[in-house]
Amino acid sequence: MLKPQMSPTRELISLDGLWAFDIERDSRPQAWTGTLDSGLEAAVPASYNDLFVDSAIRDHVGWAWYQRKVCVPRRWTSDRIFLRVDAATHEGRVYVNDSFVGQHIGGYTPFEMDITDLVAPGEEFRLTIGVNNELTNITIPPGSITVAQDGRRQQKYLHDFYNYAGLSRSVWLYSAPQQRVEDITVVTDIEGTTGVVTYDVQASAPSTVRVRALDASGTQVAEAEGAAGTLRIEAANLWKPGAAYLYNLVAEIVDNGEVIDSYTQTFGVRTVEVRGAEFLINGEPFYFTGFGKHEDSPVRGKGHDDAYLVHDFQLLEWVGANSFRTSHYPYAEEVMDFADRHGIVVIDETAAVGLNLAVQGGLAGGATTPTFSPETFNDDTQAAHAQAIRELIARDKNHPSVVMWCIANEPSSNEEGAREYFAPLVELTRTLDPTRPVTYAVVMFATFKNDRIADLFDVMCLNRYYGWYVATGDLATAETYLKGELQGWVDKFGKPIMMAEYGADTLPGLHSVWDMPWTEEYQADYLDMNHRVFDSIPSFVGEQVWNFADFQTSNGIHRVDGNRKGVFTRDRKPKSAAHALRTRWRGLENQKPGTSN
């Protein structure tokens, strides 16, 4: 799905701002008619949970409603008119006046609807969007709903971050010609100094298509005719980690020499490859340094904020990070675009977090209920998961910053049924995009001895917490455990291996001269222990600390106002570990290939 843009043939209007808002309070059917008159207003984009002081809104399970008036420009008389919602967590329903337009399931990927026949240029219409935050055993991510003794519906879920809901990303109204570009796929290769660009333009109807490649200065460097083909860019500037260079592919539909539609797709010339135990970008070994992150900030929840976007990337540069994983869902497209422009490498992850009932048995993994079964995570769950993969790749396939697809976080990959569940999904991912490696983040109790799916993937991304959840406060024992397990993965699979999560909860300002968990010193020492082990393994290709910043979670006695494993606080103040990481990662630039940023 193409991101809406202004072009010589298209117009784009932001519908962000304050909308009338209310939660569903009277068991109304999942439909809407009439004017919303609650007196409440909610910001878009933002999660609604923390905007209000009413706990009934924060803890609401079910539908919430957003509404505003929209005026269609008078000049949009001959174009198609579309409504685009960048994200509705976890299900969205759209109404124009009192007419139901359509719905979308999946909280972190965009959807759009053609509303041309329901609106009129120069006239106003009432737009209502319903958002449902319910999670079940057949949603991605999964969850379950219980009813308390007092009748309150309560959402249970298996992921360790708050289930923020609402319109957390932008909403748009845009126009496009009747005959238009509907999709573009760009794949690049390198032959010597020449960039080889394979393109495929999908149009709304059979059309005459021409494409032009422009360099960063706007100079045309290649052109071709036809909906699919290959461009060759001589002496191409490569997109590199820490040194991004972007080209523009201008796709035009023409009729008798007249441009009917024009869409510009940015791209970078670069290659990604796993060769033996190495991860290669442009044929050169790359070592990941960075974080698992979250879209999370005070008041906004998961609401996208450009100010936080800029500041977070500034902190990534300051600390010496060259990458991050979109844990545990696709991030806003603005984040991906920013990574493209600034040379930050991204592991792009679906929202498949929590496919693991063994966590109910603690770190021992003693599940009393099988994770994969007709009654738990089943064929319908797998179908929803497959759709999440399709939508992720359709949205992010052209981003040069995206170097690997992560199709799940911490699934119960050691359980019976895991292979039958995941093998078709891995095959689907490779079919949709054969150019990028595929991975998953391995939960702690799935080891090299019992994991059932590791051989299906290209890179071993491990989540390990020796010294925190295991051997807590005993870093000497933790180091022995960690080194033994990592070496086991290396010996058995011979694939690139990296740490996708490792970290320790830390309260800023808490100090001790001993190895005391929760102190700033312990967090720094914990990371240092892990790094000694990483540096002893030649096939180790990266380290991404959990987490970039503290983030909100559900209630729990093991959480103190959320997860505190961030090396920055939730409002982005550095803990001692941030300075220690800065020293390490900037030092690695002269020691490990592919670490410069």
Side-chain angles (χ1 to χ4, degrees), residues 1 348 388-398 405 428-430 432-433 436:
M1 178 185 290
D348 208 357
I389 292 171
R390 291 187 193 98
E391 293 186 11
L392 171 66
I393 294 177
R395 195 196 74 166
D396 290 349
K397 61 189 174 184
N398 294 324
W405 304 115
L428 172 66
T429 306
R430 296 195 196 284
L432 294 171
D433 180 15
R436 290 177 175 90

Side-chain angles (χ1 to χ4, degrees), residues 371-544:
T371 296
F372 305 101
S373 75
E375 295 74 34
T376 54
F377 302 141
N378 52 34
D379 291 346
D380 290 335
T381 318
Q382 187 188 57
H385 195 163
Q387 184 61 21
I389 292 171
R390 291 187 193 98
E391 293 186 11
L392 171 66
I393 294 177
R395 195 196 74 166
D396 290 349
K397 61 189 174 184
N398 294 324
H399 288 288
S401 59
V402 175
V403 301
M404 187 156 51
W405 304 115
C406 184
I407 67 170
N409 179 74
E410 296 191 347
S412 195
S413 55
N414 57 307
E415 276 195 58
E416 184 177 348
R419 194 171 188 89
E420 291 78 5
Y421 181 94
F422 276 100
L425 298 178
V426 176
E427 182 180 359
L428 172 66
T429 306
R430 296 195 196 284
T431 299
L432 294 171
D433 180 15
T435 70
R436 290 177 175 90
V438 184
T439 191
Y440 69 113
V442 186
V443 70
M444 194 154 182
F445 43 81
T447 71
F448 64 91
K449 296 178 181 179
N450 64 14
D451 190 281
R452 298 168 183 254
I453 64 174
D455 62 295
L456 300 173
F457 295 84
D458 301 299
V459 178
M460 300 291 95
C461 287
L462 305 183
N463 295 356
R464 293 296 182 268
Y465 291 92
Y466 293 111
W468 187 251
Y469 295 121
V470 176
T472 309
D474 183 354
L475 293 179
T477 299
E479 185 167 356
T480 301
Y481 286 166
L482 178 62
K483 189 166 186 178
E485 191 190 349
L486 295 188
Q487 193 60 53
W489 286 95
V490 171
D491 294 342
K492 183 170 182 177
F493 294 102
K495 296 182 178 184
I497 182 172
M498 65 176 288
M499 196 65 76
E501 290 184 21
Y502 63 113
D505 282 272
T506 305
L507 292 178
L510 186 63
H511 299 282
S512 177
V513 296
W514 298 292
D515 280 344
M516 183 178 292
W518 293 91
T519 63
E520 293 195 48
E521 289 80 11
Y522 187 80
Q523 185 182 37
D525 290 343
Y526 168 94
L527 295 176
D528 186 56
M529 177 275 291
N530 277 266
H531 298 153
R532 286 196 301 271
V533 177
F534 301 165
D535 291 344
S536 71
I537 299 175
S539 58
F540 215 77
V541 299
E543 53 198 62
Q544 291 187 333

Side-chain angles (χ1 to χ4, degrees), residues 245-265:
Y245 190 96
L246 295 176
Y247 291 89
N248 283 326
L249 182 80
V250 182
E252 297 172 327
I253 293 178
V254 295
D255 184 16
N256 294 322
E258 179 185 358
V259 175
I260 304 301
D261 189 27
S262 176
Y263 189 93
T264 299
Q265 175 66 57

Side-chain angles (χ1 to χ4, degrees), residues 222-386:
E223 63 178 336
E225 291 191 1
T230 301
L231 301 173
R232 298 181 67 86
I233 302 175
E234 304 299 329
N237 291 295
L238 301 185
W239 188 96
K240 299 178 180 179
Y245 190 96
L246 295 176
Y247 291 89
N248 283 326
L249 182 80
V250 182
E252 297 172 327
I253 293 178
V254 295
D255 184 16
N256 294 322
E258 179 185 358
V259 175
I260 304 301
D261 189 27
S262 176
Y263 189 93
T264 299
Q265 175 66 57
T266 59
F267 69 94
V269 177
R270 65 105 180 91
T271 61
V272 177
E273 178 187 3
V274 168
R275 185 188 303 160
E278 290 185 312
F279 193 98
L280 307 177
I281 298 180
N282 300 332
E284 299 179 356
F286 179 74
Y287 190 87
F288 295 83
T289 59
F291 301 93
K293 292 179 86 272
H294 265 299
E295 291 183 316
D296 177 275
S297 60
V299 181
R300 301 162 185 81
K302 291 200 174 304
H304 175 73
D305 185 292
D306 282 340
Y308 269 99
L309 169 64
V310 172
H311 189 57
D312 284 358
F313 272 74
Q314 284 286 296
L315 293 177
L316 290 175
E317 180 180 354
W318 174 85
V319 80
N322 61 22
S323 65
F324 63 87
R325 175 169 61 117
T326 69
S327 45
H328 299 298
Y329 38 82
Y331 289 178
E333 286 171 279
E334 290 84 354
V335 178
M336 314 306 289
D337 292 338
F338 205 90
D340 287 345
R341 294 194 300 270
H342 294 271
I344 297 294
V345 171
V346 179
I347 300 173
D348 208 357
E349 187 165 281
T350 71
V353 53
L355 293 171
N356 197 325
L357 296 180
V359 297
Q360 298 177 74
L363 285 175
T368 57
T369 304
T371 296
F372 305 101
S373 75
E375 295 74 34
T376 54
F377 302 141
N378 52 34
D379 291 346
D380 290 335
T381 318
Q382 187 188 57
H385 195 163

